[in-house]
Amino acid sequence: MTFASVPDPSLYLLEPLTRAVYRFSPRSDSLDLRGQFRASIEQNNTLFTGPATAMTISPNRYIFFSIGNQIFYATDVP
């Protein structure tokens, strides 16, 4: 779980088995699901060999996550 600060505060949750990242916007009384990021089926079947073990969000909103001894990233994250 990672929290990105203003101007667009977001809470990012990693689901390690499916290697999906969910983006929520915090509200005063709930969380609003704003997006879901995951690899395509072809990438998922050829690149990844196990569950994701760690994730972080850079200041410019790139997602980095690790699987085993490899690091992957996505750049088109709102």
Side-chain angles (χ1 to χ4, degrees):
M1 180 172 20
T2 301
F3 186 76
S5 60
V6 262
D8 184 20
S10 298
L11 179 66
Y12 292 89
L13 296 172
L14 171 66
E15 202 296 297
L17 295 178
T18 61
R19 295 168 295 272
V21 176
Y22 299 95
R23 177 180 171 233
F24 295 92
S25 289
R27 303 283 179 234
S28 60
D29 61 344
S30 66
L31 292 174
D32 185 27
L33 179 62
R34 304 299 278 171
Q36 178 183 157
F37 310 99
R38 62 177 65 214
S40 68
I41 292 173
E42 296 82 24
Q43 292 171 327
N44 205 19
N45 290 338
T46 59
L47 291 177
F48 308 132
T49 58
T53 55
M55 174 198 68
T56 191
I57 306 292
S58 70
N60 57 354
R61 301 286 172 108
Y62 288 7
I63 295 177
F64 293 87
F65 65 97
S66 65
I67 296 175
N69 61 355
Q70 296 181 313
I71 303 293
F72 298 91
Y73 71 97
T75 59
D76 294 330
V77 179

